[in-house]
Amino acid sequence: MPSQKIKTGHQDTVHDVAMDYYGKRVATASSDSTVKIIGVSNNASQHLATLTGHQGPVWQVAWAHPKFGSILASCSCDGRVIIWKEGNQNDWTQAHVFSDHKSSVNSIAWAPHELGLCLACGSSDGNISVFTARSDGAWDTTKIDQAHPVGVTSVSWAPSMAPGALVGSGLLDPVQKLVSGGCDNTVKMHTDWVRDVAWAPNLGLPKSTIASASQDGTVVIWTVVGKEGDQWEGKVLKDFKTPVWRVSWSLTGNILAVADGNNNVTLWKEAVDGEWQQVTTVDP
C-alpha cells in the first residue's frame, strides 16, 4: 500500500495522529491548540471538522472503541482533558472537560473496551488519573498520586485478556493493568526521560511484553519473568543514537514500529532465537 500525504491544515507543529477503529478518519493534535478530524479514503483526504477548546498545545488524541459511540479524547499543555462526542455527522461537542491536573497532561489512553469507557491520563504534575464513565452519564475519578514525581510522559493499558488466551472468558475478570513512563527515567534501564511506553497485544501469545522508548536513544523490550508475573526483564532493542519518540505495536503484537529523532520509522520483529530484527523502514 503506497504512502499517502495528508494536508492537515494546522498552523503549527502536529504532535499526534490517531486513526479511528475503521481506518476511515484520522484525528490530529497540534501546537495551534486545535484538533482536526480528516476523512481518508484511497488516495484522497477531506477535512471534516476542527475542534477548538484547548488553550495550549494539544499533545495527544485517542479514539474510544466504537461500541461507545463516536468519541475522541484530547489532552493539552493547558492541563485539561476534553472528551469530544459526535452527534450528527461531523458535528462534535465537548461532552466533558476534566481539569483535575495542575500541569500539562502529556499522554492519554483508553482502556480495553471490556473494562468500559475508561481513560488514563498522565501529567507533568507527576500524577496519573483514570476517568471511568458511569451509566448515569457522570464520571468516576481514580488518581495515582506521584506515579513519577518529576512528570509522567506516557501511559499504556495491558490487554484485557490473560497472556496466551485466544478468546475472552466469561469466567475470568478482565485484566486491569497500566504501564507508565516518566521524566524520572523509569521504566528502568534508561538513562534519560522515557518518552513512550506501549503494552503489546497478547492474543494467543504466551507472555506479556512492553516496549519503552527514551530520550537516551534506546528502545527496551520488557517481558515478564518468574511464575508470579511481577518481575520484568529488559532487553535493549537498539541504540538509535537519537531520541526515540514513539513506539507502537501491530494488532497481533508481533511487529513493533519505532519513530526516532532522525525522522525515521522502522519496523521490528522478534526472531525464533529471541533476537529482534529490523523488518523494514517506512518511507515518509
Side-chain angles (χ1 to χ4, degrees):
M1 180 177 170
S3 61
Q4 177 183 347
K5 287 190 176 181
I6 298 173
K7 292 185 178 180
T8 65
H10 283 296
Q11 304 301 310
D12 208 332
T13 304
V14 175
H15 295 288
D16 194 28
V17 179
M19 184 165 279
D20 74 356
Y21 183 85
Y22 300 107
K24 300 291 188 183
R25 297 180 294 181
V26 296
T28 57
S30 170
S31 276
D32 66 9
S33 304
T34 69
V35 172
K36 291 187 182 289
I37 310 294
I38 301 165
V40 291
S41 60
N42 299 327
N43 294 322
S45 61
Q46 178 186 8
H47 176 268
L48 301 176
T50 298
L51 312 185
T52 58
H54 285 294
Q55 285 150 23
V58 185
W59 300 131
Q60 273 193 12
V61 284
W63 295 90
H65 192 279
K67 70 179 282 188
F68 303 110
S70 189
I71 294 175
L72 182 74
S74 60
C75 65
S76 168
C77 186
D78 64 11
R80 299 193 300 166
V81 175
I82 300 179
I83 308 296
W84 307 87
K85 188 164 186 175
E86 186 181 30
N88 297 325
Q89 189 172 17
N90 301 325
D91 181 18
W92 292 84
T93 57
Q94 295 183 20
H96 205 91
V97 179
F98 299 106
S99 303
D100 297 52
H101 292 283
K102 306 306 179 189
S103 190
S104 172
V105 180
N106 303 316
S107 183
I108 49 176
W110 290 105
H113 66 86
E114 295 88 349
L115 299 176
L117 190 60
C118 182
L119 184 72
C121 313
S123 171
S124 291
D125 62 15
N127 301 329
I128 295 173
S129 54
V130 178
F131 303 113
T132 306
R134 300 201 314 241
S135 57
D136 62 1
W139 292 75
D140 290 327
T141 303
T142 304
K143 185 184 283 188
I144 304 171
D145 285 321
Q146 296 301 287
H148 299 267
V150 289
V152 183
T153 58
S154 48
V155 288
S156 179
W157 290 89
S160 61
M161 293 184 294
L166 288 173
V167 294
S169 171
L171 302 176
L172 300 174
D173 291 330
V175 175
Q176 189 169 6
K177 289 183 179 177
L178 187 69
V179 62
S180 62
C183 304
D184 52 5
N185 311 347
T186 55
V187 188
K188 304 291 184 183
M189 278 188 72
H190 291 292
T191 59
D192 209 332
W193 289 18
V194 176
R195 288 288 184 185
D196 198 22
V197 287
W199 206 308
N202 61 4
L203 186 65
L205 301 177
K207 59 185 179 181
S208 292
T209 306
I210 292 171
S212 60
S214 173
Q215 184 76 13
D216 65 15
T218 63
V219 171
V220 177
I221 307 297
W222 304 86
T223 51
V224 170
V225 293
K227 294 181 179 180
E228 300 302 318
D230 57 354
Q231 295 181 358
W232 292 79
E233 187 175 81
K235 176 187 288 187
V236 176
L237 174 79
K238 180 184 175 180
D239 184 351
F240 289 82
K241 308 297 184 185
T242 184
V244 183
W245 287 91
R246 297 296 293 272
V247 282
S248 179
W249 293 96
S250 64
L251 289 176
T252 52
N254 62 337
I255 295 178
L256 179 69
V258 179
D260 66 42
N262 287 330
N263 298 327
N264 293 321
V265 177
T266 51
L267 302 183
W268 299 78
K269 189 171 185 178
E270 187 178 16
V272 177
D273 60 4
E275 295 299 316
W276 287 81
Q277 300 174 346
Q278 183 175 331
V279 179
T280 187
T281 299
V282 180
D283 293 327

